[in-house]
Amino acid sequence: MARVAVVFIELLTIIVEDYDRAIEFFTKILGFDLVEDSPSLTNDGRPKRWVTVRPPGGGAGILLARADGERQVAAIGDQVAGRVGFFLRVDDFDAAYERMAAAGVEFVTSPRAEPYGRVVVFLDIAGNRWDLLGPV
């Protein structure tokens, strides 16, 4: 049997309106680490930034990409067609929920118990839906 190479997801992209507001949301409110914020250029030479955040302890990171053009602007907050597309698992659901609520995060459901854990849906800075997940 052939050996399968180790494969993992390094980054995924969230399209945002503003780099600095997105960095603040992901680092100050969700508690992610700012991994990189470097000047860069678009394919046609215009300035942009390469901004990545990652949950503490590792895992897949998020590239915060400022919308460029009408099509990308239209996708802000609707990157997965209104579905929950991102999932944040925490050890202490109640503490995370209370901290996020106090910071003004918009929750679109009430917390509930499911077979896979406690869950509540919230919106990120761009308007995308996330599940906050914790143990039952």
Side-chain angles (χ1 to χ4, degrees), residues 121-136:
V121 178
F122 70 94
L123 302 180
D124 69 16
I125 187 73
N128 296 298
R129 290 174 177 257
W130 289 63
D131 272 358
L132 176 65
L133 300 164
V136 177

Side-chain angles (χ1 to χ4, degrees), residues 14-34 37 49 51-53 62-66 124-126:
I14 292 181
I15 302 169
V16 298
E17 250 183 281
D18 179 81
Y19 290 119
D20 294 322
R21 288 187 358 193
I23 290 169
E24 184 174 334
F25 177 83
F26 281 94
T27 60
K28 303 273 193 274
I29 295 175
L30 296 188
F32 284 31
D33 296 326
L34 177 62
D37 184 357
R49 288 161 60 185
V51 178
T52 59
V53 295
I62 299 171
L63 173 68
L64 301 174
R66 187 183 60 204
D124 69 16
I125 187 73

Side-chain angles (χ1 to χ4, degrees), residues 78-132:
D78 197 28
Q79 294 182 158
V80 291
R83 294 201 49 143
V84 170
F86 308 97
F87 303 84
L88 182 62
R89 182 161 298 274
V90 295
D91 291 335
D92 188 336
F93 181 89
D94 291 326
Y97 177 75
E98 290 171 17
R99 181 179 48 77
M100 291 168 64
V105 171
E106 183 178 349
F107 291 93
V108 296
T109 66
S110 297
R112 65 186 190 279
E114 295 289 348
Y116 50 85
R118 294 186 63 204
V119 62
V120 64
V121 178
F122 70 94
L123 302 180
D124 69 16
I125 187 73
N128 296 298
R129 290 174 177 257
W130 289 63
D131 272 358
L132 176 65

